[in-house]
Amino acid sequence: MTPLLRPPTLPADDLLLLLREWCPEAEIARAVTGTGVDIVGARVPVERVRDVWEIGRRRHGESGWWPYVTSASPGGEAAYQDERGYDTTEGGLDTAEWERSVAEVVLQDHDARAASVVVSTFRWSTKGLPFDDEDFLGWRDDHDPDRLAPLLRPAAVGPMLGMPRWATDRSTSRDGMRWVNFMSARGGYELPVLLPCLYANPNWFGHGSRCLTPLDDAALLRRWQEQWGAQLFFAAGPYLELVVDRPPLDPRGAAQAATELYAYCGDTVQDAVGAGNGMARSTMWSLWWD
């Protein structure tokens, strides 16, 4: 294991034994990427992935391993990362950049980086619009939570119950099965940096030809975890799902979440008002980059 990585409290061999206890009928596997990232996983029916994931996240504090649901085995994940994740011809990071990202993910100002994603999207969307243009004011409403909040419904009594769209979808899973993989990490927000190809956000555009980086992903995920208890649940290809323990219920908080979701994944969140009244106040955030 590279010294830049955080060693888990529980050794990988012990985690393998635990997974066999939690999932006695499951296929269990382990793999290591070329950069030293250890991945351990269990292949379970889609009906069980939420339960296994919940057990894993409850035990994260004592184990140091963060669970995530996906379609790839640990070996498949490692092979794909080694093939594509660090290939600069495919838009990936070289190993030196990856090592810098691993070191920076803990130290970066995640709130500031998350805000820069919103600003970058706004500037790209409004480039060339005159300041008195009606469209410009409309874009401001979508990107400014203080302007968006008055357009939203009053505070909700409780969160909307959200359901996974892809993690438990039998039609998109092989044989009705998914992998619940585990990685040594401080939280799910570190996974996009540790595995740069864990999920992809194509067709995202920012000001000055900016593209999203794993550090951008990590910043938004960490911010959402701290603000609203949003935890990385499912990640595969262009799909990402978060379980949200404390979604914002008041208009201002929902507006803040909606503007960030809108800026991060406009393919899914195409209406900031709708997101502020809906997804932002839900216990599940399902995002898809087309």
Side-chain angles (χ1 to χ4, degrees):
M1 174 179 287
T2 172
L4 287 170
L5 299 176
R6 177 177 185 261
T9 306
L10 188 72
D13 289 341
D14 292 346
L15 177 62
L16 285 167
L17 294 175
L18 270 181
L19 285 178
R20 291 191 174 100
E21 291 180 13
W22 299 344
C23 316
E25 306 299 324
E27 176 187 352
I28 308 296
R30 178 185 179 186
V32 182
T33 69
T35 52
V37 175
D38 211 337
I39 310 172
V40 177
R43 185 170 177 263
V44 299
V46 293
E47 294 82 4
R48 286 214 61 207
V49 296
R50 180 69 182 265
D51 292 338
V52 177
W53 181 83
E54 289 285 5
I55 293 172
R57 79 153 169 168
R58 286 199 301 269
R59 301 287 293 269
H60 173 256
E62 62 189 86
S63 74
W65 295 86
W66 185 264
Y68 68 98
V69 182
T70 191
S71 56
S73 68
E77 191 85 81
Y80 186 70
Q81 293 295 322
D82 291 344
E83 178 185 359
R84 300 286 295 278
Y86 319 103
D87 183 354
T88 55
T89 64
E90 298 290 343
L93 303 171
D94 62 29
T95 303
E97 288 177 315
W98 177 82
E99 290 179 345
R100 285 194 294 270
S101 295
V102 171
E104 188 176 346
V105 67
V106 179
L107 303 175
Q108 70 174 344
D109 186 335
H110 49 279
D111 288 328
R113 185 180 282 267
S116 75
V117 170
V118 178
V119 171
S120 184
T121 307
F122 173 66
R123 293 186 65 189
W124 178 85
S125 302
T126 57
K127 183 179 179 180
L129 291 177
F131 279 85
D132 58 350
D133 192 289
E134 183 178 346
D135 288 340
F136 180 86
L137 297 178
W139 281 110
R140 280 192 63 190
D141 291 344
D142 291 336
H143 290 83
D144 185 341
D146 289 327
R147 294 175 63 90
L148 180 61
L151 306 178
L152 302 184
R153 295 172 187 157
V157 176
M160 298 171 58
L161 179 61
M163 300 298 292
R165 292 184 61 186
W166 302 292
T168 57
D169 183 3
R170 294 187 68 87
S171 67
T172 59
S173 61
R174 186 176 182 180
D175 302 326
M177 308 288 282
R178 291 284 193 205
W179 282 89
V180 183
N181 290 343
F182 292 75
M183 289 177 53
S184 176
R186 295 170 180 82
Y189 61 87
E190 287 191 339
L191 269 57
V193 168
L194 297 175
L195 298 178
C197 288
L198 177 61
Y199 67 95
N201 32 42
N203 299 327
W204 186 94
F205 301 101
H207 181 71
S209 300
R210 175 176 177 175
C211 294
L212 289 175
T213 69
L215 282 170
D216 293 324
D217 299 322
L220 283 155
L221 293 181
R222 185 175 182 185
R223 171 173 167 74
W224 294 345
Q225 177 179 311
E226 293 179 354
Q227 290 290 316
W228 301 299
Q231 307 276 11
L232 190 149
F233 171 55
F234 174 76
Y239 301 100
L240 175 69
E241 290 189 312
L242 309 174
V243 170
V244 189
D245 295 331
R246 306 181 308 275
L249 304 180
D250 63 290
R252 181 57 178 76
Q256 185 67 54
T259 58
E260 294 176 15
L261 287 165
Y262 181 81
Y264 185 51
C265 187
D267 288 342
T268 298
V269 185
Q270 299 180 0
D271 175 8
V273 173
N277 288 326
M279 181 189 292
R281 306 189 198 201
S282 170
T283 58
M284 181 71 66
W285 293 354
S286 297
L287 304 175
W288 169 43
W289 289 266
D290 188 3

